[in-house]
Coordinates of all heavy atoms in Angstrom, one line a residue:
M1 N 219.3 259.9 113.4 CA 218.8 261.1 112.9 C 218.8 261.1 111.4 O 219.6 260.6 110.7 CB 219.8 262.3 113.3 CG 219.7 262.6 114.8 SD 218.3 263.7 115.1 CE 218.2 263.5 116.9
K2 N 217.7 261.7 110.9 CA 217.5 261.6 109.4 C 218.4 262.6 108.7 O 218.8 263.7 109.2 CB 216.0 262.0 109.2 CG 215.3 261.3 108.1 CD 213.9 261.7 108.0 CE 212.9 260.6 108.4 NZ 211.5 260.9 108.3
Q3 N 218.7 262.3 107.4 CA 219.4 263.3 106.6 C 218.6 263.4 105.3 O 218.1 262.4 104.7 CB 220.8 262.8 106.2 CG 221.6 263.8 105.4 CD 223.0 263.3 105.1 OE1 223.2 262.5 104.3 NE2 223.9 263.8 105.9
I4 N 218.4 264.6 104.8 CA 217.6 264.9 103.6 C 218.4 265.7 102.6 O 219.1 266.7 103.1 CB 216.3 265.6 103.9 CG1 215.4 264.6 104.7 CG2 215.6 266.0 102.6 CD1 214.0 265.1 105.1
Q5 N 218.5 265.3 101.4 CA 219.2 266.1 100.4 C 218.2 267.1 99.7 O 217.1 266.6 99.3 CB 219.8 265.2 99.3 CG 220.6 266.0 98.3 CD 221.5 265.1 97.4 OE1 222.5 264.6 97.9 NE2 221.0 264.8 96.3
V6 N 218.6 268.3 99.5 CA 217.8 269.3 98.8 C 218.5 269.8 97.6 O 219.8 269.8 97.6 CB 217.4 270.4 99.8 CG1 216.6 269.9 101.0 CG2 218.6 271.3 100.2
E7 N 217.8 270.3 96.7 CA 218.4 270.9 95.5 C 218.0 272.3 95.4 O 216.8 272.6 95.3 CB 218.0 270.1 94.2 CG 218.8 270.5 93.0 CD 218.5 269.7 91.8 OE1 219.0 268.6 91.7 OE2 217.6 270.1 91.0
I8 N 218.9 273.2 95.5 CA 218.6 274.7 95.5 C 218.9 275.2 94.1 O 219.9 275.0 93.5 CB 219.5 275.4 96.5 CG1 219.5 274.8 97.9 CG2 219.2 276.9 96.5 CD1 218.1 274.9 98.5
K9 N 217.9 275.9 93.6 CA 218.0 276.5 92.3 C 218.3 278.0 92.4 O 217.6 278.7 93.1 CB 216.7 276.3 91.5 CG 216.8 276.7 90.1 CD 215.5 276.2 89.3 CE 215.7 276.5 87.8 NZ 214.5 276.0 87.1
Y10 N 219.4 278.4 91.9 CA 219.8 279.8 92.0 C 219.3 280.7 90.9 O 218.9 280.1 89.8 CB 221.4 279.9 92.0 CG 221.9 279.4 93.3 CD1 222.3 278.0 93.4 CD2 222.1 280.2 94.4 CE1 222.7 277.5 94.6 CE2 222.6 279.6 95.6 CZ 222.9 278.3 95.7 OH 223.3 277.7 96.9
K11 N 219.2 282.0 91.1 CA 218.6 282.8 90.1 C 219.3 282.9 88.8 O 218.7 283.1 87.7 CB 218.5 284.3 90.7 CG 217.4 284.4 91.7 CD 217.3 285.7 92.4 CE 216.2 285.7 93.4 NZ 216.2 286.9 94.3
L12 N 220.6 282.6 88.8 CA 221.3 282.6 87.5 C 221.1 281.2 86.7 O 221.7 281.1 85.7 CB 222.8 282.8 87.8 CG 223.2 284.2 88.3 CD1 224.7 284.2 88.7 CD2 222.9 285.2 87.3
G13 N 220.4 280.3 87.3 CA 220.0 279.1 86.6 C 220.7 277.8 87.0 O 220.2 276.8 86.8
H14 N 221.8 277.9 87.7 CA 222.5 276.7 88.2 C 221.8 276.2 89.5 O 221.1 276.9 90.1 CB 224.0 276.9 88.4 CG 224.3 278.0 89.4 ND1 224.0 279.3 89.3 CD2 224.9 277.8 90.6 CE1 224.5 279.9 90.3 NE2 225.0 279.1 91.2
T15 N 222.1 274.9 89.7 CA 221.5 274.3 90.9 C 222.7 273.7 91.7 O 223.7 273.4 91.2 CB 220.5 273.1 90.5 OG1 221.2 272.2 89.7 CG2 219.3 273.7 89.8
Y16 N 222.4 273.5 93.0 CA 223.4 272.9 93.9 C 222.7 272.1 94.9 O 221.7 272.5 95.5 CB 224.3 274.0 94.5 CG 225.6 273.5 95.0 CD1 226.7 273.4 94.2 CD2 225.7 273.2 96.4 CE1 227.9 272.9 94.7 CE2 226.9 272.7 96.8 CZ 228.0 272.5 96.0 OH 229.2 272.0 96.5
K17 N 223.3 270.9 95.2 CA 222.7 270.0 96.2 C 223.3 270.2 97.5 O 224.5 270.4 97.7 CB 222.8 268.6 95.7 CG 221.9 268.3 94.5 CD 222.1 266.9 94.1 CE 221.1 266.6 92.9 NZ 221.6 265.7 91.9
F18 N 222.5 270.2 98.5 CA 222.9 270.3 99.9 C 222.3 269.2 100.7 O 221.2 268.8 100.4 CB 222.5 271.7 100.6 CG 223.1 272.9 100.0 CD1 222.5 273.6 98.9 CD2 224.3 273.4 100.5 CE1 223.1 274.7 98.4 CE2 224.9 274.5 99.9 CZ 224.3 275.2 98.9
K19 N 223.0 268.8 101.8 CA 222.4 267.8 102.7 C 222.1 268.5 104.0 O 222.9 269.3 104.5 CB 223.3 266.6 102.9 CG 223.4 265.7 101.7 CD 224.4 264.6 102.0 CE 224.6 263.8 100.7 NZ 225.9 263.0 100.8
Y20 N 220.9 268.2 104.6 CA 220.6 268.7 105.9 C 220.4 267.5 106.8 O 219.8 266.5 106.5 CB 219.3 269.5 105.8 CG 219.6 270.9 105.3 CD1 219.7 271.2 103.9 CD2 219.8 272.0 106.2 CE1 220.0 272.5 103.5 CE2 220.1 273.2 105.7 CZ 220.2 273.5 104.4 OH 220.6 274.7 104.0
D21 N 220.9 267.7 108.0 CA 220.8 266.7 109.1 C 219.7 267.2 110.1 O 219.7 268.3 110.5 CB 222.1 266.5 109.8 CG 223.2 266.0 108.9 OD1 222.9 265.1 108.1 OD2 224.3 266.5 109.0
E22 N 218.9 266.2 110.5 CA 217.9 266.5 111.6 C 218.7 266.7 112.9 O 219.8 266.1 113.1 CB 217.1 265.2 111.8 CG 215.9 265.4 112.6 CD 215.0 264.1 112.7 OE1 215.5 263.0 112.3 OE2 213.9 264.2 113.1
T23 N 218.2 267.6 113.8 CA 218.9 267.8 115.1 C 218.0 267.7 116.2 O 216.8 267.5 116.0 CB 219.5 269.3 115.1 OG1 218.4 270.2 115.4 CG2 220.2 269.7 113.8
D24 N 218.5 267.7 117.4 CA 217.8 267.7 118.7 C 217.5 269.1 119.2 O 216.9 269.4 120.2 CB 218.5 267.0 119.8 CG 218.2 265.5 119.7 OD1 217.2 265.1 119.2 OD2 219.1 264.7 120.2
S25 N 218.0 270.1 118.4 CA 218.0 271.5 118.9 C 216.6 272.1 118.8 O 215.8 271.8 118.0 CB 218.9 272.4 118.0 OG 220.2 271.9 118.0
H26 N 216.4 273.0 119.7 CA 215.1 273.8 119.7 C 215.3 275.1 118.9 O 216.4 275.7 119.0 CB 214.7 274.2 121.2 CG 214.3 273.0 122.0 ND1 213.0 272.6 122.1 CD2 215.0 272.1 122.7 CE1 212.9 271.5 122.9 NE2 214.2 271.2 123.2
C27 N 214.4 275.5 118.2 CA 214.4 276.7 117.4 C 214.5 277.9 118.4 O 213.6 278.0 119.3 CB 213.3 276.8 116.5 SG 213.1 278.4 115.7
P28 N 215.4 278.9 118.2 CA 215.5 280.0 119.1 C 214.3 281.0 118.8 O 214.0 281.9 119.6 CB 216.8 280.7 118.8 CG 217.1 280.2 117.4 CD 216.5 278.9 117.3
N29 N 213.6 280.8 117.7 CA 212.5 281.7 117.4 C 211.1 281.2 117.9 O 210.4 281.9 118.6 CB 212.4 281.9 115.9 CG 211.4 283.0 115.5 OD1 211.5 284.1 116.0 ND2 210.6 282.7 114.6
C30 N 210.9 279.9 117.7 CA 209.5 279.4 118.1 C 209.6 278.3 119.2 O 208.6 277.9 119.7 CB 208.8 278.8 116.9 SG 209.5 277.3 116.3
G31 N 210.8 277.9 119.5 CA 211.0 276.9 120.6 C 210.7 275.4 120.2 O 210.9 274.5 121.0
N32 N 210.3 275.2 119.0 CA 210.0 273.9 118.5 C 211.2 273.1 118.2 O 212.2 273.7 117.8 CB 209.1 273.9 117.3 CG 207.6 274.2 117.6 OD1 207.2 274.0 118.7 ND2 206.9 274.8 116.7
K33 N 211.1 271.8 118.4 CA 212.3 270.9 118.1 C 212.1 270.5 116.7 O 211.8 269.3 116.4 CB 212.2 269.7 119.0 CG 213.5 269.4 119.8 CD 213.2 268.2 120.7 CE 214.5 267.6 121.1 NZ 214.3 266.4 122.0
S34 N 212.3 271.4 115.8 CA 212.1 271.1 114.4 C 213.2 271.8 113.5 O 213.0 272.4 112.5 CB 210.8 271.7 113.9 OG 210.6 273.0 114.4
V35 N 214.5 271.6 114.1 CA 215.6 272.3 113.5 C 216.5 271.3 112.7 O 216.8 270.2 113.1 CB 216.5 273.0 114.6 CG1 217.7 273.6 114.0 CG2 215.7 274.0 115.3
W36 N 216.8 271.7 111.5 CA 217.7 271.0 110.6 C 218.9 271.8 110.4 O 218.9 273.0 110.3 CB 217.0 270.7 109.3 CG 215.9 269.7 109.5 CD1 214.7 269.9 110.1 CD2 215.9 268.3 109.1 NE1 213.9 268.7 110.1 CE2 214.6 267.7 109.4 CE3 216.8 267.5 108.4 CZ2 214.3 266.4 109.2 CZ3 216.5 266.2 108.1 CH2 215.2 265.6 108.5
V37 N 220.1 271.1 110.3 CA 221.3 271.8 110.1 C 222.0 271.3 108.8 O 222.0 270.1 108.4 CB 222.3 271.6 111.3 CG1 222.7 270.1 111.5 CG2 223.5 272.4 111.1
E38 N 222.6 272.3 108.1 CA 223.3 272.0 106.8 C 224.4 271.1 107.2 O 225.2 271.3 108.1 CB 223.8 273.4 106.3 CG 224.6 273.3 105.0 CD 225.2 274.6 104.7 OE1 224.9 275.7 105.3 OE2 226.0 274.7 103.7
H39 N 224.6 270.0 106.4 CA 225.6 269.0 106.6 C 227.0 269.6 106.3 O 227.1 270.3 105.3 CB 225.3 267.8 105.8 CG 226.2 266.6 106.1 ND1 226.1 265.8 107.1 CD2 227.3 266.2 105.4 CE1 227.0 264.9 107.2 NE2 227.8 265.1 106.1
G40 N 228.0 269.4 107.1 CA 229.3 269.8 106.8 C 229.6 271.1 107.6 O 228.9 271.5 108.5
E41 N 230.7 271.8 107.2 CA 231.2 272.9 108.0 C 230.5 274.2 107.6 O 230.6 275.2 108.4 CB 232.7 273.1 107.7 CG 233.5 271.9 108.3 CD 235.0 272.0 108.0 OE1 235.4 273.1 107.5 OE2 235.6 271.0 108.2
G42 N 229.8 274.3 106.5 CA 229.1 275.5 106.1 C 230.0 276.6 105.8 O 231.2 276.4 105.5
D43 N 229.5 277.8 106.0 CA 230.3 279.0 105.7 C 231.5 279.2 106.6 O 231.4 278.9 107.8 CB 229.3 280.2 105.9 CG 230.0 281.6 105.6 OD1 230.1 281.9 104.4 OD2 230.5 282.2 106.5
F44 N 232.6 279.7 106.1 CA 233.8 279.8 106.9 C 233.7 280.6 108.1 O 234.2 280.3 109.2 CB 234.9 280.4 106.0 CG 236.2 280.6 106.7 CD1 237.1 279.5 106.9 CD2 236.6 281.8 107.2 CE1 238.3 279.6 107.5 CE2 237.9 282.0 107.8 CZ 238.7 280.9 108.0
Y45 N 232.9 281.7 108.0 CA 232.8 282.6 109.2 C 231.6 282.3 110.1 O 231.6 282.4 111.3 CB 232.6 284.1 108.7 CG 233.8 284.6 108.0 CD1 233.9 284.7 106.6 CD2 234.9 285.0 108.8 CE1 235.0 285.1 106.0 CE2 236.1 285.4 108.1 CZ 236.1 285.5 106.8 OH 237.3 285.9 106.1
C46 N 230.5 281.9 109.4 CA 229.2 281.6 110.2 C 229.0 280.2 110.6 O 228.2 279.9 111.4 CB 228.0 282.1 109.4 SG 228.2 283.8 108.8
G47 N 229.7 279.3 109.9 CA 229.4 277.8 110.2 C 228.1 277.4 109.4 O 227.6 278.2 108.5
P48 N 227.6 276.3 109.6 CA 226.5 275.8 108.9 C 225.2 276.5 109.2 O 225.0 277.1 110.3 CB 226.4 274.3 109.3 CG 227.0 274.2 110.6 CD 228.1 275.3 110.6
T49 N 224.3 276.5 108.2 CA 223.0 277.2 108.4 C 222.0 276.2 109.1 O 222.0 275.0 108.8 CB 222.4 277.5 107.0 OG1 223.3 278.2 106.3 CG2 221.1 278.3 107.2
Y50 N 221.3 276.7 110.1 CA 220.3 276.0 110.8 C 218.9 276.5 110.3 O 218.7 277.7 110.1 CB 220.3 276.2 112.3 CG 221.5 275.5 112.9 CD1 222.8 276.0 112.8 CD2 221.4 274.3 113.7 CE1 223.9 275.4 113.4 CE2 222.5 273.7 114.2 CZ 223.7 274.2 114.1 OH 224.8 273.6 114.6
L51 N 218.0 275.5 110.0 CA 216.7 275.9 109.5 C 215.6 275.3 110.4 O 215.7 274.1 110.8 CB 216.5 275.4 108.1 CG 217.5 275.8 107.0 CD1 217.2 275.1 105.7 CD2 217.4 277.3 106.8
C52 N 214.6 276.2 110.8 CA 213.5 275.7 111.5 C 212.3 275.5 110.5 O 211.9 276.4 109.9 CB 213.1 276.6 112.6 SG 211.6 276.1 113.4
I53 N 211.9 274.2 110.4 CA 210.8 273.9 109.5 C 209.4 274.2 110.1 O 208.4 274.2 109.4 CB 210.9 272.5 108.9 CG1 210.7 271.5 110.1 CG2 212.2 272.3 108.2 CD1 210.5 270.1 109.6
S54 N 209.4 274.6 111.3 CA 208.1 275.0 111.9 C 207.7 276.5 111.7 O 206.6 276.8 111.4 CB 208.1 274.8 113.5 OG 208.1 273.5 113.8
C55 N 208.7 277.3 111.8 CA 208.4 278.8 111.6 C 209.2 279.4 110.5 O 209.2 280.6 110.4 CB 208.6 279.5 112.9 SG 210.3 279.6 113.4
N56 N 209.8 278.6 109.6 CA 210.6 279.1 108.5 C 211.6 280.1 108.9 O 211.7 281.2 108.4 CB 209.6 279.8 107.5 CG 208.6 278.8 106.9 OD1 208.9 277.6 106.8 ND2 207.4 279.2 106.7
Y57 N 212.4 279.8 109.9 CA 213.5 280.6 110.4 C 214.8 280.0 110.1 O 215.0 278.8 110.2 CB 213.2 280.6 112.0 CG 214.0 281.7 112.7 CD1 213.7 283.0 112.6 CD2 215.0 281.3 113.6 CE1 214.3 284.0 113.3 CE2 215.6 282.3 114.4 CZ 215.3 283.6 114.2 OH 216.0 284.5 115.0
A58 N 215.8 280.9 109.8 CA 217.1 280.4 109.5 C 218.1 281.1 110.5 O 217.9 282.3 110.8 CB 217.5 280.7 108.1
F59 N 219.0 280.4 111.0 CA 220.0 281.0 111.9 C 221.3 280.3 111.9 O 221.5 279.2 111.4 CB 219.4 281.0 113.4 CG 219.0 279.7 113.9 CD1 219.9 279.1 114.8 CD2 217.9 279.0 113.6 CE1 219.6 277.8 115.4 CE2 217.6 277.8 114.2 CZ 218.5 277.2 115.1
Y60 N 222.3 280.9 112.6 CA 223.6 280.3 112.7 C 223.8 280.2 114.2 O 223.3 280.9 115.0 CB 224.7 281.3 112.2 CG 224.6 281.5 110.7 CD1 224.0 282.7 110.3 CD2 224.9 280.6 109.8 CE1 223.9 283.0 108.9 CE2 224.8 280.8 108.4 CZ 224.3 282.0 108.0 OH 224.2 282.3 106.7
I61 N 224.7 279.3 114.6 CA 225.2 279.2 115.9 C 226.7 279.6 115.9 O 227.4 279.1 115.0 CB 225.0 277.8 116.5 CG1 223.5 277.5 116.7 CG2 225.8 277.5 117.7 CD1 223.2 276.1 117.2
P62 N 227.2 280.4 116.7 CA 226.6 281.0 117.8 C 225.6 282.1 117.5 O 225.8 282.8 116.6 CB 227.8 281.5 118.6 CG 228.8 281.9 117.6 CD 228.6 280.9 116.5
I63 N 224.6 282.1 118.4 CA 223.6 283.2 118.3 C 224.1 284.3 119.2 O 224.6 284.1 120.3 CB 222.2 282.7 118.9 CG1 221.7 281.6 118.0 CG2 221.2 283.8 118.9 CD1 220.7 280.7 118.6
E64 N 224.1 285.5 118.7 CA 224.6 286.6 119.5 C 223.7 287.0 120.6 O 222.5 287.1 120.4 CB 224.8 287.9 118.6 CG 225.9 287.8 117.6 CD 225.9 289.0 116.7 OE1 226.0 290.1 117.3 OE2 225.8 288.9 115.5
K65 N 224.3 287.2 121.8 CA 223.5 287.7 122.9 C 224.5 288.3 123.9 O 225.7 287.9 123.9 CB 222.7 286.7 123.5 CG 223.4 285.5 124.1 CD 222.6 284.6 124.9 CE 223.4 283.5 125.6 NZ 222.9 283.2 126.9
K66 N 224.0 289.1 124.7 CA 224.8 289.6 125.8 C 225.0 288.5 126.9 O 224.1 287.8 127.1 CB 224.1 290.8 126.5 CG 225.0 291.7 127.4 CD 224.3 292.9 127.9 CE 225.2 293.8 128.7 NZ 226.1 293.1 129.7
A67 N 226.3 288.4 127.4 CA 226.5 287.4 128.4 C 225.6 287.6 129.6 O 225.4 288.7 130.1 CB 228.0 287.4 128.8
E68 N 225.1 286.4 130.1 CA 224.3 286.5 131.3 C 225.2 286.5 132.5 O 226.4 286.3 132.4 CB 223.4 285.2 131.3 CG 222.3 285.3 130.3 CD 221.5 284.0 130.1 OE1 221.7 283.1 130.9 OE2 220.8 283.9 129.1
Y69 N 224.6 286.6 133.6 CA 225.3 286.7 134.9 C 226.3 285.6 135.1 O 227.5 285.8 135.4 CB 224.2 286.6 136.0 CG 224.8 286.6 137.4 CD1 225.5 287.6 138.0 CD2 224.6 285.4 138.2 CE1 225.9 287.6 139.3 CE2 225.1 285.3 139.5 CZ 225.8 286.4 140.0 OH 226.3 286.3 141.3
T70 N 225.9 284.3 134.9 CA 226.8 283.2 135.1 C 227.9 283.1 134.0 O 229.0 282.8 134.2 CB 226.0 281.8 135.0 OG1 225.2 281.8 133.9 CG2 225.1 281.7 136.3
E71 N 227.5 283.5 132.8 CA 228.5 283.5 131.6 C 229.5 284.6 131.9 O 230.7 284.4 131.5 CB 227.7 283.7 130.3 CG 226.8 282.6 130.0 CD 225.7 282.9 129.0 OE1 225.5 284.1 128.8 OE2 225.1 282.0 128.4
Q72 N 229.1 285.7 132.4 CA 230.1 286.8 132.7 C 231.1 286.3 133.7 O 232.3 286.7 133.6 CB 229.3 288.0 133.2 CG 230.2 289.3 133.3 CD 230.8 289.6 132.0 OE1 230.1 289.8 131.0 NE2 232.1 289.8 131.9
Q73 N 230.7 285.5 134.7 CA 231.7 285.0 135.6 C 232.7 284.1 134.9 O 233.9 284.2 135.2 CB 231.0 284.1 136.7 CG 230.1 284.9 137.6 CD 229.4 284.0 138.6 OE1 230.0 283.2 139.2 NE2 228.1 284.1 138.7
A74 N 232.3 283.3 134.0 CA 233.2 282.5 133.2 C 234.2 283.4 132.4 O 235.4 283.1 132.3 CB 232.5 281.5 132.3
I75 N 233.6 284.4 131.7 CA 234.4 285.3 130.9 C 235.5 286.0 131.8 O 236.7 286.0 131.4 CB 233.5 286.4 130.3 CG1 232.7 285.8 129.2 CG2 234.3 287.6 129.7 CD1 231.6 286.7 128.6
D76 N 235.1 286.5 133.0 CA 236.0 287.1 133.9 C 237.1 286.2 134.3 O 238.3 286.6 134.4 CB 235.2 287.6 135.1 CG 234.3 288.8 134.8 OD1 234.5 289.4 133.7 OD2 233.4 289.1 135.6
Q77 N 236.8 284.9 134.6 CA 237.8 284.0 135.0 C 238.7 283.6 133.9 O 239.9 283.4 134.1 CB 237.1 282.8 135.7 CG 236.5 283.2 137.0 CD 235.7 282.1 137.7 OE1 236.0 280.9 137.6 NE2 234.6 282.5 138.3
I78 N 238.2 283.5 132.7 CA 239.1 283.2 131.5 C 240.1 284.3 131.3 O 241.3 284.1 131.1 CB 238.2 282.9 130.3 CG1 237.5 281.6 130.4 CG2 239.1 282.9 129.0 CD1 236.4 281.3 129.4
K79 N 239.5 285.5 131.4 CA 240.4 286.7 131.2 C 241.5 286.8 132.3 O 242.6 287.1 132.0 CB 239.6 288.0 131.2 CG 238.8 288.2 129.9 CD 237.7 289.2 130.1 CE 238.0 290.6 129.7 NZ 236.9 291.5 129.7
K80 N 241.1 286.5 133.5 CA 242.0 286.5 134.6 C 243.1 285.5 134.4 O 244.3 285.7 134.6 CB 241.3 286.2 135.9 CG 242.1 286.5 137.2 CD 241.3 286.2 138.4 CE 242.2 286.2 139.6 NZ 241.5 285.6 140.8
E81 N 242.7 284.3 133.9 CA 243.6 283.2 133.7 C 244.6 283.6 132.6 O 245.8 283.2 132.6 CB 242.8 281.9 133.3 CG 243.6 280.6 133.3 CD 244.0 280.2 134.8 OE1 243.2 280.5 135.7 OE2 245.1 279.6 134.9
L82 N 244.1 284.3 131.6 CA 245.0 284.8 130.5 C 245.8 286.0 130.8 O 246.5 286.5 130.0 CB 244.1 285.0 129.2 CG 243.4 283.8 128.6 CD1 242.4 284.3 127.5 CD2 244.5 282.9 128.0
G83 N 245.6 286.6 132.0 CA 246.3 287.8 132.4 C 245.8 289.0 131.7 O 246.5 290.0 131.5
L84 N 244.5 289.1 131.3 CA 243.9 290.2 130.7 C 243.2 291.2 131.6 O 242.7 290.7 132.6 CB 243.0 289.8 129.5 CG 243.6 288.9 128.5 CD1 242.5 288.4 127.5 CD2 244.6 289.7 127.7
Ligands
LIG1 ZN1 211.0 277.9 114.7

């Protein structure tokens, strides 16, 4: 997988270099396999930024969504196992 370094220029004048790694992920917005992820751990709360170079979309994982039928079963069983 390819890695590309970018240099971001901030409005206050300073610059900072980031590395982005190519991924196998599909973009949740356009479905294309054109997603790059910020190298390293990224933001403490959100994790690394993912960028889609096909549709200019930025996102974090996990992506929020309501649990589906099968996921709800897993949630229920984890809660049961924890006595909740
Ligand atoms: Zn996209």
Side-chain angles (χ1 to χ4, degrees):
M1 289 279 166
K2 218 179 246 180
Q3 184 178 78
I4 292 177
Q5 182 170 281
V6 301
E7 190 174 279
I8 306 299
K9 192 171 184 177
Y10 291 89
K11 286 177 181 169
L12 293 174
H14 60 293
T15 58
Y16 199 83
K17 287 177 176 143
F18 294 92
K19 286 175 186 161
Y20 278 85
D21 297 319
E22 191 177 17
T23 78
D24 273 335
S25 302
H26 292 265
C27 170
N29 189 51
C30 73
N32 284 334
K33 230 177 163 181
S34 48
V35 174
W36 290 71
V37 62
E38 181 186 351
H39 188 78
E41 293 174 15
D43 180 84
F44 180 77
Y45 295 102
C46 305
T49 308
Y50 289 75
L51 301 175
C52 174
I53 61 169
S54 286
C55 69
N56 300 325
Y57 192 69
F59 61 98
Y60 300 103
I61 288 177
I63 298 159
E64 286 179 58
K65 63 170 187 144
K66 194 177 183 317
E68 289 167 15
Y69 174 70
T70 51
E71 295 160 343
Q72 189 59 53
Q73 291 179 50
I75 289 170
D76 291 343
Q77 288 172 39
I78 290 166
K79 284 163 97 172
K80 191 180 170 192
E81 196 67 35
L82 293 172
L84 300 173

